[in-house]
Amino acid sequence: MKHFIVYTLLFSICALWGCSADGDGVTDIADADYIRFGAQVVEPVTRAAAQKPGIIDFEKLTTTSFGVYGYGPMAAAYTDGLTPDLFDNQEVKYVVTDKSTSTVLAVPGSWSYAWDGSKEVVAQLKPWPKTNASANKHTFFAYAPYMAEGGVAPGITSVSSSVAGDPQIGYRVATVPSASVDLLWGVQSETGLPWKNVTRAKKSASAVLFTMRHALCGISYQAQVMVNKDNELTDLGDVSSTAAIGTDCRVTICSVTLKPKTNHLYETGTLNLNNTTKNTPRWTSLTRSSATELVLSGDEIDSNVKDPNPTSDSYTTFMAITSGYGYIPGVTESANTQRVIANDNVYMLLPDDVAQTYELEVPYYVTYKKMEGTYSRIKYDGKVTIPDLKLKAGTLYRFNMVFGLTTFKLTVTAEDWTETPISVTTVVETSTSASSSLSRRAASAE
């Protein structure tokens, strides 16, 4: 087991439209007639991996919308125990406005809680107070994707509505990637904390801009095969070259099972939107699952790598099914990885600060043509141990499986999500910071 750190230069975007904070924690919002909201989304460091089904990016957020809780105006600073009186789980949608209509704000694209079809209606917007008195403090919390009280959404099990106390979102982990939901919560970009005790200042027009951060962690599976005789991962037997194998060699996956060895994975939890640590989700009431493993099988496996008959060692049967399916590529010999989870979905899991050992079990078939013209179909049970792994919120863990004819290896990389400028803004302050990516290797051979 070797640990190494790769430092990547990231761009941290502070897109707070003309806002500042004084020493007592009161944040000034520019003098606008109406309370308005904006949003940007923290996305994966690897830009090629940013557009992932199952992971909410800015484009997906514009179709799902987000929810806002608002308090004020009030004289005293926000304290837990208040009931939302300004916005109570208010849905905020991305609306393309109609400039030709006088009742609609002339903004080419914006977030709005006051709409009529695709139009934003000024009369439905809530105004800021006319003065900057101390009695005009406001507090705002946000989350995504939006769910109405009493509604049904995979992952999200409950939302606070007309309830005294910090807004809280109930969540249940899905056991299959296709049902997983990426849960976000909103903070100030600069502080990493909620918009609390906001007052209006006499400045240019502005909006309360939420930086939406990921409250969960993601797990994705990728695969590649090495069948080159000179590669250390390979035991080719009587096959002397990759050219001889050609398209007649395939690795197909039966299932992928992830097993925590000490504690079961967290199954349910409650996200308090009033986080108190910078850019860190405030999870409470976490309960661990009674299930001991996550199993990826059936249609949850990408059709390009899924074995069509995972219970049969018969090459004749395999070829018959293959003929019915059309050509089944399997995991191919390539420096590039191939997706294992269908539609590039990911498991979304509750974060776990307890480091523990995990096992990954991958039964798979190697089906290939030998030099003398006969065929072989052999099932292997790939198994590796991953020690000391913590599941950190806002992190995508990539499990890259490498298959040889008799060898199975795994690399796990952890990629932090970082900020990307997405929202329409007037002022953008850019600074740089370093972020680390952790890589773990574990191997076992049949």
Side-chain angles (χ1 to χ4, degrees):
M1 175 64 59
K2 295 181 180 179
H3 298 256
F4 61 89
I5 299 177
V6 178
Y7 288 93
T8 306
L9 189 65
L10 307 175
F11 291 101
S12 177
I13 304 303
C14 299
L16 306 178
W17 297 359
C19 54
S20 61
D22 61 21
D24 62 6
V26 175
T27 301
D28 290 337
I29 294 294
D31 186 3
D33 289 334
Y34 306 104
I35 299 174
R36 297 178 57 80
F37 300 109
Q40 63 182 21
V41 183
V42 173
E43 296 186 354
V45 172
T46 307
R47 296 301 300 154
Q51 309 301 323
K52 292 286 187 183
I55 295 178
I56 295 179
D57 58 10
F58 179 77
E59 183 178 357
K60 184 178 289 291
L61 187 64
T62 62
T63 63
T64 60
S65 68
F66 63 90
V68 170
Y69 294 88
Y71 306 75
M74 50 195 175
Y78 175 85
T79 58
D80 183 18
L82 299 179
T83 300
D85 55 353
L86 186 61
F87 297 101
D88 188 5
N89 192 31
Q90 174 65 55
E91 183 179 11
V92 181
K93 296 181 179 180
Y94 191 75
V95 177
V96 177
T97 60
D98 182 355
K99 293 183 179 181
S100 65
T101 305
S102 60
T103 58
V104 177
L105 294 182
V107 180
S110 63
W111 294 97
S112 179
Y113 53 88
W115 62 86
D116 179 10
S118 62
K119 299 178 182 180
E120 184 176 58
V121 181
V122 173
Q124 296 178 8
L125 294 172
K126 296 187 178 182
W128 288 103
K130 295 299 182 182
T131 66
N132 194 28
S134 60
N136 290 333
K137 293 183 177 70
H138 298 74
T139 291
F140 304 98
F141 301 99
Y143 75 96
Y146 171 78
M147 189 182 86
E149 178 69 19
V152 177
I156 297 176
T157 58
S158 64
V159 293
S160 298
S161 185
S162 302
V163 176
D166 293 337
Q168 301 186 60
I169 310 299
Y171 190 88
R172 179 179 295 276
V173 171
T175 57
V176 293
S178 60
S180 292
V181 173
D182 185 13
L183 178 61
L184 312 179
W185 92 104
V187 296
Q188 299 182 54
S189 178
E190 203 169 51
T191 67
L193 299 174
W195 284 93
K196 293 167 64 175
N197 306 319
V198 172
T199 60
R200 189 184 71 160
K202 292 178 174 61
K203 297 181 181 179
S204 60
S206 181
V208 178
L209 177 63
F210 292 106
T211 294
M212 307 300 286
R213 302 195 70 92
H214 301 264
L216 304 165
C217 66
I219 289 181
S220 70
Y221 295 142
Q222 299 174 139
Q224 61 185 129
V225 67
M226 296 294 185
V227 292
N228 189 307
K229 185 173 177 62
D230 296 328
N231 191 288
E232 64 178 0
L233 303 183
T234 306
D235 177 5
L236 291 178
D238 60 350
V239 180
S240 62
S241 71
T242 56
I245 299 174
T247 58
D248 289 321
C249 180
R250 313 175 199 183
V251 172
T252 47
I253 297 172
C254 302
S255 63
V256 183
T257 301
L258 183 65
K259 296 181 178 181
K261 301 304 293 182
T262 305
N263 299 305
H264 295 177
L265 294 169
Y266 283 122
E267 181 181 26
T268 62
T270 301
L271 180 66
N272 188 320
L273 299 184
N274 186 17
N275 65 296
T276 55
T277 302
K278 181 178 181 179
N279 294 330
T280 302
R282 185 179 172 185
W283 284 103
T284 63
S285 305
L286 290 165
T287 61
R288 295 193 182 273
S289 171
S290 58
T292 58
E293 57 193 29
L294 284 177
V295 180
L296 183 77
S297 61
D299 290 340
E300 294 291 327
I301 301 177
D302 190 274
S303 59
N304 283 326
V305 302
K306 179 178 66 175
D307 193 276
N309 192 11
T311 61
S312 174
D313 295 340
S314 168
Y315 177 77
T316 302
T317 302
F318 173 80
M319 289 303 294
I321 295 177
T322 300
S323 176
Y325 271 55
Y327 178 65
I328 297 178
V331 185
T332 60
E333 181 192 11
S334 172
N336 300 318
T337 57
Q338 297 170 256
R339 68 188 186 193
V340 174
I341 301 178
N343 302 315
D344 254 351
N345 285 324
V346 298
Y347 283 106
M348 300 305 303
L349 303 180
L350 287 161
D352 195 341
D353 291 333
V354 179
Q356 64 171 314
T357 297
Y358 292 82
E359 280 187 358
L360 191 75
E361 296 182 355
V362 186
Y364 63 96
Y365 276 101
V366 176
T367 306
Y368 65 99
K369 184 178 182 179
K370 297 181 180 180
M371 288 294 290
E372 65 271 22
T374 61
Y375 289 85
S376 178
R377 176 168 161 83
I378 304 173
K379 188 175 185 178
Y380 293 101
D381 292 308
K383 182 183 295 185
V384 295
T385 299
I386 311 163
D388 302 326
L389 180 63
K390 289 184 180 180
L391 298 179
K392 179 185 175 183
T395 303
L396 177 62
Y397 297 87
R398 298 184 184 276
F399 288 56
N400 186 45
M401 296 169 275
V402 182
F403 300 89
L405 291 187
T406 61
T407 308
F408 175 78
K409 291 192 176 185
L410 174 75
T411 300
V412 180
T413 59
E415 301 175 359
D416 293 335
W417 277 300
T418 189
E419 293 178 26
T420 301
I422 300 292
S423 186
V424 178
T425 61
T426 55
V427 179
V428 177
E429 299 176 7
T430 303
S431 61
T432 60
S433 62
S435 179
S436 61
S437 175
L438 172 67
S439 179
R440 288 185 164 86
R441 280 192 176 275
S444 67
E446 288 292 327

